[in-house]
Amino acid sequence: MNKPARVAVTGAAGQISYSLLFRIASGQLLGKDQPVILSLLEVNVEAALRALDGVVMELADCAFPLLVGVEKHTDAQACFDAVDYAFLVGARPRKAGMERKDLLEANAQIFSVQGKALDAAASRSVKVVVVGNPANTNCMIAQRNAPSLAPECFSAMTRLDHNRAAAQLAARAGAEVKDIANIIIWGNHSSTQFPDLAHATVSGRPALDLIDSDWYEVEMIPAVQQRGAAIISARGSSSAASAASAAIDHMHDWIFGTAADRYVSMAVVSQGEYEIEKGLVYSYPCTCQDGKYQVVERLKTSDFARTKMKETEDELKQERDGVASLLP
């Protein structure tokens, strides 16, 4: 039996984590021969801790052979002690009367603490995916507060947007999702993101040869950008199961790799690729191999694409500037 992997999940009593934890414990993340220890973080509030107790009971009741330990924490550094993988799911939600700046500042407090805790306690090769919104900027805050960890340890999740775009393209083209390759989500996990089909294929054929440009530009792009809002309107709460599934996809591909000719969308610390400002956490097309991601560079981008890429970069700059006083 392999040495157990330590997997941290924050916001562990929340809806996304409720879908996420059982999939990790069952082996869907790390495989059927990899035991895991779950290290769970929740706020020190009675209702949240009581809910977490119930989740832990259910994990026990599933009798997962690979789940060899479950720890409950209210202290981030204790939660992140020697962890190999971290899903930062918990974040401050936007409430009535809050401006975006208020939301950014509230999350800056949370993610600066968690970044420092990761820096102090996590494995030096830890893989961190930020799920809690605003995910890109929360990730930037955590990364900036973890100076002893490589920037490549941090990422934010745009795989949910990637998966949404793939599903919509498959439906429009009369194909199956497995036939879709090389969709790209550029930029921020927000309504400014740019779902790009210029390099996408359907069963090896260029996607843009199979669909009309009006549908793509007028219907699909805004539909992907606003999908989260549409789900809230339909079910009365935000995406949970699909977000958890995307988080599994994101981390699994990062660990085990992607096919060399298939891109996945990951928001990572920009090194200036595609003239995006360094230091922003920006979603790029990536391939993964040997536990590392690599941004796919030198793809041709149209004037239309460059305009969209710049719009979402500008939003990320505004978010960064809104929390500048709280960054190291």
Side-chain angles (χ1 to χ4, degrees):
M1 205 56 143
N2 293 328
K3 177 184 176 182
R6 293 182 61 83
V7 183
V9 179
T10 74
Q15 286 196 76
I16 294 174
S17 295
Y18 192 73
S19 292
L20 177 64
L21 291 171
F22 298 88
R23 296 183 66 172
I24 296 171
S26 71
Q28 290 183 44
L29 175 65
L30 297 174
K32 298 298 184 182
D33 60 351
Q34 178 58 63
V36 296
I37 297 170
L38 290 173
S39 186
L40 309 181
L41 183 68
E42 250 314 337
V43 294
N44 194 11
V45 174
E46 183 181 354
L49 295 177
R50 189 165 59 248
L52 182 59
D53 285 340
V55 172
V56 172
M57 290 180 205
E58 286 202 79
L59 284 165
D61 291 349
C62 289
F64 291 118
L66 294 171
L67 184 60
V68 298
V70 180
E71 302 171 1
K72 297 181 291 183
H73 299 282
T74 58
D75 177 77
Q77 187 166 324
C79 177
F80 296 144
D81 184 36
V83 296
D84 304 293
Y85 311 101
F87 293 84
L88 306 190
V89 179
R92 176 76 177 272
R94 190 168 184 170
K95 297 182 179 179
M98 287 182 72
E99 296 182 1
R100 187 169 183 81
K101 183 175 184 294
D102 300 326
L103 180 67
L104 287 166
E105 288 183 351
N107 278 292
Q109 300 287 348
I110 295 169
F111 284 84
S112 61
V113 169
Q114 293 185 1
K116 291 172 184 173
L118 286 160
D119 195 58
S123 163
R124 298 300 87 182
S125 59
V126 66
K127 289 178 169 56
V128 180
V129 56
V130 177
V131 178
N133 288 318
N136 295 55
T137 297
N138 287 343
C139 181
M140 181 194 68
I141 293 164
Q143 184 270 317
R144 289 275 291 272
N145 280 277
S148 74
L149 293 172
E152 292 78 16
C153 290
F154 289 83
S155 64
M157 189 179 79
T158 51
R159 187 60 174 268
L160 178 55
D161 311 301
H162 182 109
N163 289 351
R164 288 166 169 168
Q168 294 212 17
L169 175 58
R172 184 70 177 187
E176 297 181 21
V177 171
K178 66 179 177 60
D179 300 324
I180 306 299
N182 297 350
I183 283 172
I184 301 168
I185 303 295
W186 298 99
N188 200 4
H189 175 58
S190 74
S191 61
T192 68
Q193 65 175 269
F194 172 43
D196 187 359
L197 299 187
H199 304 278
T201 60
V202 181
S203 299
R205 298 177 61 190
L208 293 180
D209 289 351
L210 303 175
I211 58 173
D212 58 272
S213 59
D214 282 350
W215 174 80
Y216 170 47
E217 295 181 14
V218 177
E219 294 186 39
M220 182 208 169
I221 290 176
V224 174
Q225 291 172 331
Q226 300 292 337
R227 184 69 164 185
I231 289 171
I232 290 172
S233 176
R235 69 183 294 263
S237 57
S238 59
S239 310
S242 58
S245 184
I248 292 282
D249 290 344
H250 175 116
M251 189 71 86
H252 182 276
D253 285 350
W254 192 1
I255 297 166
F256 293 105
T258 59
D261 59 347
R262 285 207 169 212
Y263 318 151
V264 292
S265 299
M266 297 175 67
V268 299
V269 179
S270 173
Q271 301 301 320
E273 301 94 340
Y274 296 94
E275 300 181 0
I276 301 302
E277 185 170 321
K278 290 183 179 181
L280 295 176
V281 173
Y282 191 93
S283 183
Y284 289 109
C286 294
T287 57
C288 301
Q289 187 176 12
D290 300 325
K292 298 179 180 179
Y293 69 79
Q294 179 67 48
V295 174
V296 180
E297 298 192 65
R298 295 181 291 278
L299 294 175
K300 291 183 178 180
T301 53
S302 66
D303 290 343
F304 173 74
R306 291 299 306 169
T307 298
K308 294 292 187 183
M309 291 163 69
K310 183 69 167 58
E311 287 175 358
T312 193
E313 179 191 16
D314 287 344
E315 182 183 53
L316 284 168
K317 289 179 180 178
Q318 291 170 7
E319 291 186 5
R320 178 204 56 204
D321 292 348
V323 297
S325 64
L326 299 171
L327 293 173

